[in-house]
Amino acid sequence: EARERALADAKAAGTLPEDDRPLDSGGNGPTAYADAISTYLAFGISKLADYGSTITTWHSGRDTIRNTFNRQAIPMTWDFAEGNPFCSSTGNWLDLLDWGAKALAVWSGSAVGISKQLDATAAIDGVDLPLVSTDPPYYDNIGYADLSDFFYVWLRRSLGGIYPDLFSTLLTPKAQELIASPYRHEGSREKAQNFFEEGLGNAFKRMRESGNEGFPVTIYYAFKQAESEEAGAKDKGIASTGWETMLSGLIDAGFSVHGTWPMRSELSNRMLASGTNALASSIVLVCRPRPADAPMATRREFISALKMELPEALRNLQHGSIAPVDLAQAAIGPGMAVFTRYSKVMEADGSPMSVRTALALINRTLDEVLAEQEGEFDADTRWAVAWFEQFGMEEGPFGDAETLSKAKNTSVQGLVQAGILHSRGGKVRLLRRDELPEDWDPASDKRFTVWEATQHLIKALQGRGEREAAELLRKLGGLGESARDLSYRLYIICERKKWAQEALAYNGLVIAWPELAKLARAIPARVQEQLGLSESE
């Protein structure tokens, strides 16, 4: 109907151009214009389906409906929330259209884009020396095609006549989808894994052969590492199969990693992130073809290079206030930059080092670097970190505390005086944040500790907001940087111990750090303005 009205209006106005091709054929006339309007309206239908299914739930934090795809899965729900699409409530039709219209209003549209459905493992069709920037599939983590069917069945009804090639099948094609899904391979995990690894390797080879060597290949990856629990695993605690497979494919295709950038890409209020330590960033790997004459190296040379280069790279990441939950992911970049500069890294037995082993060594070096940073802290803080790693915030024997205090060149009584420890009845424990004094002032503290400063910053941020935390950060001056470094160390401990709630506190402080630092810098100026105003009065 939209197409027919557009054509009728153009004929009535005598402005019907010669170009009457549809949009799908590259048209630029009224037919193509009507096709474009129909496409935007179909986007609204997709949003309506997302907010109008029986999978929607109630968003108690905002008193609204949470859409079907609050994460990349269709979950089971015990009950659903239902909105009226014809009123002003969440998920109403006019608002859903308005979201699309607002996006179009700020879209420059200065360049012509071309979108094609192609097999990534085949030749890149009709593009001379393309610039490659991609987000590869996450092994078996997300079934993209299966989830797409939720929207496809509605889009096919509304846009099937406009894009006949795109909607020629009843459901989305799935046979060639590059994920390691066993049910598509006779239930065999081995066949699914082989399919994924072979396909991903072929895709990277095509990028290597067809890409523009004047520009790097950028690969976005946000799949969190997971610890290996397999019995007899050679390297327990190493990165997940997704990371290993992706990096192996890159290296086998002839790429080397030249850099890594953490990029904030995830909303903190998404369902997956609520109350969890989900990744906040995607890690952008910057890759270039590895020189044909790249040298070989021994395991010892690789480890030495890691220990020499990784500390500075991690320090730069920390100065950029990357979230602790993302630090281990981001460290893969500079670590793999060392590994991939060599044609091979040889083990002591003469075999080439696997990506799995390299990732384990990178993670181990990361732990060592963070542990070495403890040497910059005061003795009381070093004791508190060691005690926290063993007992958390729970009680422990006085004898253990006393022994540890001798090793850290402090004393239990001194720790009590410092205001970080409670000791009674042969038991000791670290003070909880709710037990810390409200009027703590670092300038008047006679036994200042970085541990205490970190806990007070978190307490102020969680209890009184960013401005109060920024005021405390201003008072700490340069010592505030030490508090941020300690947060990274404590987060890693919490992550390993699976203390999710405590980990959130340290992760949250680092994420808020750029804003806290900005507010802290602005406080002196605000105070001067207030003083000037008082004098004039």
Side-chain angles (χ1 to χ4, degrees):
E1 291 178 3
R3 183 188 295 107
E4 291 175 359
R5 284 198 298 271
L7 285 170
D9 292 344
K11 289 179 180 178
T15 58
L16 184 63
E18 293 183 4
D19 186 358
D20 194 29
R21 292 174 299 163
L23 185 63
D24 191 43
S25 300
N28 197 31
T31 299
Y33 181 80
D35 289 346
I37 295 297
S38 298
T39 302
Y40 298 140
L41 289 172
F43 292 166
I45 292 291
S46 291
K47 296 292 290 183
L48 187 62
D50 194 22
Y51 277 90
S53 79
T54 56
I55 310 296
T56 58
T57 53
W58 186 246
H59 193 313
S60 58
R62 296 190 313 190
D63 289 342
T64 58
I65 294 174
R66 194 188 295 275
N67 59 317
T68 301
F69 285 92
N70 53 66
R71 57 191 179 95
Q72 292 164 318
I74 298 180
M76 212 177 168
T77 58
W78 297 108
D79 201 357
F80 65 94
E82 187 172 13
N84 185 343
F86 303 109
C87 70
S88 59
S89 67
T90 309
N92 74 82
W93 171 243
L94 293 180
D95 278 353
L96 298 176
L97 288 181
D98 192 44
W99 290 351
K102 287 178 178 177
L104 292 172
V106 298
W107 181 35
S108 63
S110 57
V112 177
I114 301 173
S115 175
K116 293 184 178 181
Q117 272 194 327
L118 296 172
D119 186 345
T121 64
I124 300 176
D125 182 29
V127 182
D128 184 28
L129 295 178
L131 186 153
V132 179
S133 186
T134 183
D135 184 359
Y138 296 162
Y139 199 68
D140 60 350
N141 198 42
I142 302 170
Y144 302 92
D146 288 322
L147 296 176
S148 296
D149 282 339
F150 180 90
F151 298 105
Y152 182 88
V153 293
W154 297 103
L155 290 170
R156 188 171 184 269
R157 291 170 67 93
S158 55
L159 298 178
I162 297 176
Y163 306 100
D165 292 338
L166 282 178
F167 296 99
S168 59
T169 56
L170 289 176
L171 296 173
T172 57
K174 298 178 178 63
Q176 290 178 284
E177 184 186 16
L178 201 54
I179 60 171
S181 180
Y183 86 88
R184 295 186 192 166
H185 299 274
E186 303 172 356
S188 170
R189 294 192 64 84
E190 183 179 355
K191 289 182 179 180
Q193 180 177 341
N194 291 338
F195 170 79
F196 179 79
E197 291 178 356
E198 182 180 344
L200 194 63
N202 289 337
F204 285 142
K205 286 176 184 176
R206 297 308 306 166
M207 296 176 195
R208 172 72 175 82
E209 294 167 0
S210 307
N212 190 331
E213 294 194 5
F215 299 92
V217 170
T218 51
I219 297 176
Y220 301 79
Y221 214 62
F223 193 44
K224 190 174 181 180
Q225 295 189 79
E227 293 188 358
S228 173
E229 299 294 342
E230 297 177 10
K234 181 180 178 181
D235 296 302
K236 271 201 164 188
I238 58 172
S240 66
T241 307
W243 269 105
E244 180 189 355
T245 304
M246 191 270 289
L247 290 169
S248 296
L250 267 179
I251 294 168
D252 292 343
F255 282 108
S256 63
V257 178
H258 277 241
T260 179
W261 301 327
M263 185 184 76
R264 185 58 50 84
S265 60
E266 310 300 327
L267 290 172
S268 60
N269 63 349
R270 70 196 191 280
M271 183 68 171
L272 181 60
S274 299
T276 68
N277 294 306
L279 292 181
S281 303
S282 293
I283 306 306
V284 185
L285 297 175
V286 183
C287 305
R288 288 188 180 277
R290 185 172 58 251
D293 59 350
M296 294 172 57
T298 64
R299 179 186 178 102
R300 182 183 295 274
E301 288 174 323
F302 171 56
I303 294 174
S304 296
L306 272 182
K307 291 183 176 181
M308 183 180 297
E309 299 179 31
L310 200 56
E312 182 62 25
L314 292 176
R315 177 64 68 180
N316 290 334
L317 289 170
Q318 289 175 323
H319 283 169
S321 295
I322 181 175
V325 69
D326 297 322
L327 185 63
Q329 312 296 103
I332 289 175
M336 291 308 297
V338 175
F339 182 71
T340 57
R341 75 171 58 139
Y342 306 113
S343 59
K344 287 182 181 179
V345 175
M346 305 305 295
E347 297 279 15
D349 61 1
S351 63
M353 180 181 289
S354 66
V355 172
R356 176 174 286 252
T357 301
L359 288 170
L361 292 173
I362 292 169
N363 284 338
R364 189 183 305 166
T365 306
L366 170 63
D367 289 344
E368 292 173 358
V369 172
L370 292 176
E372 286 174 5
Q373 288 179 359
E374 289 182 26
E376 303 174 10
F377 302 144
D378 54 273
D380 291 347
T381 296
R382 294 199 302 272
W383 180 94
V385 172
W387 184 266
F388 179 77
E389 188 167 12
Q390 185 173 359
F391 295 100
M393 305 304 288
E394 300 299 323
E395 286 186 337
F398 179 91
D400 290 0
E402 184 70 18
T403 302
L404 181 60
S405 70
K406 296 295 186 287
K408 300 297 182 182
N409 195 29
T410 183
S411 67
V412 172
Q413 185 59 33
L415 293 162
V416 173
Q417 292 173 358
I420 66 175
L421 190 69
H422 175 81
S423 176
R424 176 180 294 178
K427 297 287 186 181
V428 302
R429 63 172 174 81
L430 291 164
L431 289 178
R432 300 187 305 271
R433 282 185 287 273
D434 60 1
E435 296 176 304
L436 299 176
E438 297 289 341
D439 58 349
W440 181 73
D441 185 357
S444 60
D445 193 330
K446 296 181 180 179
R447 188 160 175 157
F448 175 87
T449 67
V450 175
W451 175 275
E452 193 176 15
T454 304
Q455 304 304 331
H456 275 287
L457 279 169
I458 294 173
K459 181 177 181 178
L461 180 63
Q462 292 181 338
R464 301 189 296 276
E466 289 183 342
R467 289 198 174 276
E468 290 293 329
E471 173 63 33
L472 179 54
L473 180 59
R474 183 189 68 83
K475 292 179 180 179
L476 288 169
L479 293 170
E481 298 293 324
S482 298
R484 182 184 60 185
D485 291 346
L486 178 59
S487 292
Y488 280 106
R489 177 65 177 143
L490 296 178
Y491 175 84
I492 294 296
I493 293 173
C494 292
E495 181 79 353
R496 298 267 166 79
K497 298 287 188 177
K498 302 189 184 304
W499 298 336
Q501 284 303 116
E502 189 69 10
L504 280 171
Y506 303 115
N507 195 55
L509 177 61
V510 177
I511 289 175
W513 199 268
E515 183 63 22
L516 297 183
K518 177 182 175 182
L519 291 172
R521 288 191 297 269
I523 287 173
R526 193 171 70 246
V527 171
Q528 289 296 326
E529 289 176 5
Q530 292 172 347
L531 288 174
L533 195 63
S534 299
E535 290 173 1
S536 63
E537 290 174 352

